[in-house]
Amino acid sequence: MTFPFRNAVLTGACGGLGQALARALIARGAAIALVGLNRPVLDELATLAPERCSVYTPDVADAIAMLACAKDWTQRHGVPDLLIANAGVAGGFDTAQADDLVVMRRMLEINLLGVATTFQPHLAAMRTSGRGALVGVASIAGWRGMPGNGAYCASKGGLIRYLESLRAELRGTGLSVHTVSPGYLRTTLTAGNRFAMPGLMEPDDAAHTLLAGVARGCTHIVLPRRIGWLSRALSLLPAAWHDHLLLKQPRKPRVGEAGATAIPGLPAQHDTSSS
């Protein structure tokens, strides 16, 4: 099957899935805007096809900065036909801890608002062109809340509903909207997890499956598919049983705890990111 996309914008291009997607898109001949915070990683990816790549390092939640990136990219390479909003952060959350409210706000900014700020600057031009795909990377965690993971589950659950709304709004325009729900991928976001991760998937395999699904027009893509079946099976249990099972599992580390992943843009006392 011929890959139908030639001009892509990819956020979160520094992470495990993001780098895998970037390499796959470059290998398929697409021009690609590499958006992320780790400039050296992005620059290294851009060397794979310097004539087709541009590097941008905005805060994805900053609408003005994202608009500036979109204008620059369009001037260089034209209107994109593939937007992949992949930027995301994860971390444990405890409502009883006042400091965690700041973490929740930042997680919602990146994981939810950041998808809208990725799509918005390109949407009018893409509607005029009458073709293109908008891809939001959500999570299986958005299907049901999990103890100690409320902020992340809320951000991804909200994203799933946002993408559903956008899909309905764009019907008949020639644009498609795709919701991606990964389970567990072998990336820095899962490296600190202290619980079982069934169906753990390699980023390169996930990237291939994601792009193939979008190319086929799949509106819902689960990575890997079997983790979706497991999640749906568990959802059939009474809520009390389901909660009891989850309460037995170790929780994802909160910011500042051993094994926690960095969340860029937090106030100084919270920020553990070097990017």
Side-chain angles (χ1 to χ4, degrees):
M1 178 180 180
T2 303
F3 190 65
F5 305 108
R6 310 305 300 172
N7 184 322
V9 174
L10 170 67
T11 67
C14 305
L17 178 59
Q19 290 186 54
L21 286 167
R23 289 191 295 267
L25 288 166
I26 291 168
R28 287 163 171 76
I32 178 171
L34 299 165
V35 183
L37 294 179
N38 192 325
R39 182 82 195 211
V41 170
L42 299 179
D43 286 341
E44 184 175 352
L45 287 170
T47 62
L48 297 174
E51 73 286 356
R52 290 188 276 121
C53 295
S54 293
V55 169
Y56 303 96
T57 57
D59 178 343
V60 293
D62 185 335
I64 295 175
M66 291 296 286
L67 176 60
C69 295
K71 286 182 176 178
D72 183 78
W73 174 254
T74 302
Q75 289 172 357
R76 292 172 183 267
H77 294 279
V79 177
D81 54 17
L82 177 63
L83 305 177
I84 304 180
N86 172 63
V89 292
F93 177 78
D94 184 348
T95 302
Q97 302 298 321
D99 287 351
D100 280 14
L101 296 176
V102 178
V103 175
M104 184 178 195
R105 179 186 296 275
R106 185 61 181 151
M107 203 176 296
L108 289 166
E109 288 176 347
I110 296 172
N111 293 358
L112 180 53
L113 177 62
V115 177
T117 58
T118 299
F119 292 166
Q120 187 278 323
H122 299 285
L123 192 54
M126 290 177 71
R127 291 186 70 161
T128 299
S129 72
R131 66 178 301 271
L134 295 85
V135 182
V137 179
S139 172
I140 290 289
W143 294 12
R144 193 188 191 285
M146 296 185 292
N149 211 17
Y152 184 71
C153 292
S155 69
K156 293 301 187 177
L159 174 54
I160 290 170
R161 297 295 174 257
Y162 165 69
L163 294 169
E164 287 176 350
S165 301
L166 186 61
R167 184 178 301 115
E169 293 167 14
L170 294 179
R171 287 198 184 277
T173 66
L175 304 184
S176 58
V177 177
H178 308 262
T179 302
V180 181
S181 293
Y184 297 110
L185 306 184
R186 197 184 300 277
T187 69
T188 55
L189 290 185
T190 60
N193 287 355
R194 300 172 291 202
F195 45 82
M197 295 185 287
L200 185 65
M201 195 174 191
E202 296 297 332
D204 287 342
D205 295 334
H208 173 78
T209 303
L210 187 159
L211 293 176
V214 174
R216 290 195 308 271
C218 300
T219 55
H220 295 84
I221 301 166
V222 181
L223 305 171
R225 224 171 5 175
R226 64 183 180 276
I227 197 67
W229 299 335
L230 175 61
S231 181
R232 289 188 180 95
L234 289 173
S235 70
L236 298 176
L237 294 174
W241 294 11
H242 195 287
D243 293 345
H244 182 69
L245 287 173
L246 292 178
L247 282 169
K248 292 182 177 180
Q249 299 298 314
R251 298 191 180 189
K252 194 170 185 68
R254 296 168 48 238
V255 169
E257 293 180 347
T261 52
I263 298 181
L266 290 175
Q269 66 268 30
H270 296 86
D271 198 347
T272 58
S273 171
S274 59
S275 58

